[in-house]
Amino acid sequence: MTWFEAFGWLGSVLVVVSLTLSNLRRFRTTNLIGSVIATIYNAAIEIWPFAAMNGAIALINIYWLIRLH
């Protein structure tokens, strides 16, 4: 496994871990970081449907983090 594949796995792991968090701000922040990493990884390997989905998730998390602030 290359470092970049590990980077992609990290994004997926963070998204899954975020779903276990009860604190809403931690959930949104962890999910945002994971989805941004996943967006970068999927765009780099040209898996556009997943890049778009994770990009949309990142934008949704940004919106809600702003609303929570």
Side-chain angles (χ1 to χ4, degrees), residues 9-68:
W9 276 103
L10 173 64
S12 295
V13 167
L14 287 173
V15 169
V16 171
V17 167
S18 75
L19 297 173
T20 69
L21 301 174
S22 61
N23 181 290
L24 190 55
R25 189 177 307 272
R26 284 187 187 137
F27 160 70
R28 291 286 177 192
T29 302
T30 304
N31 196 277
L32 172 62
I33 295 167
S35 60
V36 167
I37 290 171
T39 300
I40 293 166
Y41 179 75
N42 289 312
I45 62 172
E46 298 182 353
I47 301 178
W48 302 115
F50 286 109
M53 177 187 66
N54 282 296
I57 291 169
L59 292 174
I60 291 165
N61 283 313
I62 290 169
Y63 170 82
W64 283 107
L65 282 167
I66 290 170
R67 293 275 317 258
L68 286 169

